[in-house]
Amino acid sequence: MWIQRTLRLPPARRGFHLITPEITKAVPELASIQIGWMNVFIQHTSASLTINENADPDVRVDFETAMNHAVPESLAYIHTIEGPDDMPAHVKASMMGASLMIPIGAGHLQLGTWQGIYLCEHRDRAGGRSVVITINGEPLP
């Protein structure tokens, strides 16, 4: 069985935003999958996706701090036509990645207890973001 949806996320401030509930809500058929995979792909070059700790909100702040330290806006970037946050956003997105593969079992994402799916917004004033969610799996008996 194949299922595919495009989810439009509203604009988000720069930072790391837990989107697991939005992802699962967009594909209610998930509950009918015995075993399979979910791919989540972001259709943008200045935002990314990751899976990490979903319990303590301080993790999101620390992620932003660490990424800004690793990829500062103060470097002598050549691509600056869209502002000083644009090229660093592209670098961060390439470092973190555009897609995730998550196993499905018994109608649920097989995320760990403290894991969640994050939209990593690397721009100061980005618009909404689109993610394509694709599921392939065997239906429950």
Side-chain angles (χ1 to χ4, degrees), residues 34-90:
Q34 174 66 34
I35 187 169
W37 290 98
M38 174 188 281
N39 177 271
V40 184
F41 176 80
I42 191 162
Q43 296 181 305
H44 303 274
T45 60
S46 57
S48 56
L49 299 169
T50 194
I51 294 175
N52 216 294
E53 150 89 53
N54 71 353
D56 185 352
D58 290 345
V59 170
R60 301 170 206 173
V61 175
D62 289 344
F63 254 126
E64 180 66 14
T65 300
M67 289 305 292
N68 289 334
H69 179 76
V71 185
E73 289 184 11
S74 60
L75 293 179
Y77 297 106
I78 296 169
H79 176 77
T80 59
I81 195 163
E82 293 182 51
D85 67 330
D86 187 41
M87 192 60 217
H90 292 307

Side-chain angles (χ1 to χ4, degrees), residues 103-123:
I104 300 169
H108 300 282
L109 296 178
Q110 296 300 292
L111 294 167
T113 301
W114 305 113
Q115 289 182 318
I117 302 169
Y118 281 91
L119 164 67
C120 313
E121 180 52 69
H122 305 302
R123 296 296 309 267

Side-chain angles (χ1 to χ4, degrees), residues 3-10 17-31 38-42 48-51 98 100 102 104 109 111 116-119 129-135:
I3 301 156
Q4 188 171 75
R5 299 276 188 297
T6 299
L7 171 64
R8 184 72 176 166
L9 296 167
H17 308 278
L18 192 63
I19 59 168
T20 312
E22 290 91 335
I23 296 292
T24 56
K25 184 179 177 185
V27 283
E29 301 92 338
L30 172 66
M38 174 188 281
N39 177 271
V40 184
F41 176 80
I42 191 162
S48 56
L49 299 169
T50 194
I51 294 175
L100 304 170
I102 306 162
I104 300 169
L109 296 178
L111 294 167
I117 302 169
Y118 281 91
L119 164 67
R129 301 297 192 171
S130 294
V131 294
V132 178
I133 305 161
T134 305
I135 294 176

